[in-house]
Amino acid sequence: SSLSELEEGARGTHISTLQHLLKLSHSHDKGDQQKAALELSKLVEGTVFPAVSFGPLAHALCRLVPSEHRDVACYSARAVKTLLLDDALRPQAVAVGIPAALVESLRRWSDEVTCVRELVGALQTLCWDRVAVPTVVTSGIVPLLLDLLASPDLETRLLCTATVANLMSYADSLLLTQDEVVEEVSGRVGSILDLAKSQDKAERCYAVAAVANATAHPTLAGRISELGGLELLRDIERDHKANLNLGGTRVAECAETAVLRLTGSRDPKIALRKYKYRWGNRPTMELMLDPQTHRKRLQVCLAFWVLCTVLLFKPLVFSHRSENH
C-alpha cells in the first residue's frame, strides 16, 4: 500500500515537472528553451509517462529540435532519441512531425558533431521501423546521410552507415517507387564500398550490411557490380568466414548474402535476409529472417536451456535425497 502510494506520488511529481517543462519549451526565451530541453532529456531517461502525455511532449520537442540554438537542438534530440526506443511511441512521433523536425535540425547542424550524433541516433531508430521510413525519406534525409558518410568523426560515420543500412533494408519494397532516392544512393555506392574496407570492425560490419541490403534492388545491384563490389564482397566473405561480429552475426554472412544475390541466386531464404539496426547504448545488429525460423530457433534454445537445467540440478537433488535417507 505504502509502496503504491510512493509510486503514485512520484508519478504525480513527474507529471507536474513535465507540465512545467512543456511551458518553458514554448517560451521565446533561449534560456527557458535550453532548460526545458536539458531537463526533458534527463526526465525521459528514467520516467514512464502515460500515453496521453506523449502528444503534448512530442509537440514541444518538435518545436525544440529544429532550434537555432545548438544546445537546445542537441538536448531535445537526445530526448527524442530515447523516446523513440519505445515501440508504442514511434507511430505517434511520426504523426506529429518528429521526422521532419529531426531532418530540418540535421540540415542546420550538420557541421556540429555533438548535434549530429544525437539527431542521427534518433533517425537511426526511425529508419529501423517500417512505419516511419516513408515519412523520414520524404523529409529529405538521404542526401544528408550520404554526405555525412565522409565525416572525420568515427561515431558519426557509424551512426550514418547503420542508418543507411536500415534504409536499404527496404530496397526491395518501400524504395522500389523512390527513384530519386535510389539514384542518390547509386551515386554514392563507391563511398559505401570504401567503408566496407574499413579497419574499424563495426564500420566494416555496417557498411557490408548496407551493401547486402542494397543488392535486393536491381539498379543498386547493377551499380555495385560495376564498381567491383562482387570481388570485394567475395574477399570479405573469405577473410571473415570465422569472425563473429556484432550481435552474433558474421560479416561473412552479410557478404555471402550480397554475393549470392549478385550472382543470381534464387534461394527464397536469401531473398528474405535483411540486416537492420536500432540505436542503443551499444549498437547491435539484427538479422531479419522468416519469423518461422526465429520461432524454431527460440524453441530449440528453450529446450536446450531446460535440458541443461535438468542435468545441472539432477545430481544435487539425488545427493540431497541420499543424505536424508
Side-chain angles (χ1 to χ4, degrees), residues 67-309:
S67 174
E68 295 179 359
H69 305 294
R70 185 190 62 183
D71 291 346
V72 174
C74 186
Y75 288 125
S76 55
R78 184 177 298 171
V80 171
K81 182 178 70 175
T82 303
L83 288 167
L84 289 176
L85 294 175
D86 187 326
D87 295 340
L89 298 183
R90 282 194 298 278
Q92 296 182 60
V94 171
V96 301
I98 287 286
L102 289 167
V103 173
E104 180 186 344
S105 188
L106 183 61
R107 191 175 288 114
R108 172 173 287 146
W109 295 108
S110 60
D111 293 330
E112 289 287 340
V113 171
T114 52
C115 286
V116 169
R117 289 177 178 179
E118 302 296 347
L119 291 161
V120 179
L123 287 162
Q124 179 182 337
T125 300
L126 283 176
C127 293
W128 175 86
D129 191 334
R130 185 185 182 91
V131 171
V133 170
T135 306
V136 177
V137 168
T138 55
S139 297
I141 188 180
V142 175
L144 295 172
L145 280 178
L146 295 173
D147 285 344
L148 287 167
L149 291 177
S151 170
D153 178 59
L154 175 60
E155 186 175 345
T156 295
R157 293 200 308 274
L158 290 177
L159 290 164
C160 291
T161 311
T163 306
V164 169
N166 286 352
L167 287 171
M168 289 302 98
S169 72
Y170 301 100
D172 61 347
S173 54
L174 299 177
L175 297 187
L176 286 175
T177 57
Q178 297 286 339
D179 293 342
E180 186 177 340
V181 171
V182 171
E183 186 178 341
E184 288 168 338
V185 175
S186 182
R188 301 293 188 92
V189 162
S191 300
I192 303 172
L193 288 173
D194 285 341
L195 293 175
K197 306 171 192 173
S198 172
Q199 295 301 307
D200 183 83
K201 186 178 180 182
E203 186 170 38
R204 188 168 61 248
C205 177
Y206 292 156
V208 175
V211 173
N213 288 336
T215 56
H217 193 287
T219 301
L220 296 176
R223 183 61 177 156
I224 290 166
S225 292
E226 285 174 15
L227 294 175
L230 180 57
E231 291 75 16
L232 172 63
L233 290 159
R234 278 176 169 155
D235 289 342
I236 290 171
E237 181 186 3
R238 183 181 62 252
D239 294 343
H240 296 275
K241 205 71 176 179
N243 293 337
L244 286 176
N245 212 305
L246 299 179
T249 305
R250 301 170 188 270
V251 173
E253 188 170 330
C254 299
E256 178 194 49
T257 298
V259 168
L260 289 170
R261 286 176 179 165
L262 292 174
T263 52
S265 170
R266 297 185 180 279
D267 186 339
K269 291 182 180 178
I270 301 301
L272 286 172
R273 286 184 184 176
K274 298 177 187 294
Y275 302 89
K276 302 202 298 180
Y277 309 77
R278 178 160 62 171
W279 180 86
N281 292 329
R282 296 186 63 185
T284 56
M285 184 172 190
E286 296 192 6
L287 174 59
M288 307 300 290
L289 296 171
D290 182 354
Q292 187 64 33
T293 303
H294 273 309
R295 193 175 298 114
K296 287 178 181 176
R297 286 179 177 175
L298 181 60
Q299 289 169 349
V300 170
C301 290
L302 184 59
F304 183 70
W305 178 80
V306 171
L307 179 62
C308 289
T309 304

Side-chain angles (χ1 to χ4, degrees), residues 25-98:
S25 71
H26 288 282
S27 169
H28 293 288
D29 180 73
K30 174 191 171 184
D32 287 345
Q33 291 181 8
Q34 186 169 323
K35 179 178 173 61
L38 175 60
E39 295 302 322
L40 281 173
S41 70
K42 293 178 181 177
L43 188 63
V44 298
E45 284 186 3
T47 308
V48 178
F49 296 104
V52 292
S53 300
F54 184 69
L57 176 56
H59 282 290
L61 290 169
C62 277
R63 174 183 170 81
L64 294 172
V65 166
S67 174
E68 295 179 359
H69 305 294
R70 185 190 62 183
D71 291 346
V72 174
C74 186
Y75 288 125
S76 55
R78 184 177 298 171
V80 171
K81 182 178 70 175
T82 303
L83 288 167
L84 289 176
L85 294 175
D86 187 326
D87 295 340
L89 298 183
R90 282 194 298 278
Q92 296 182 60
V94 171
V96 301
I98 287 286

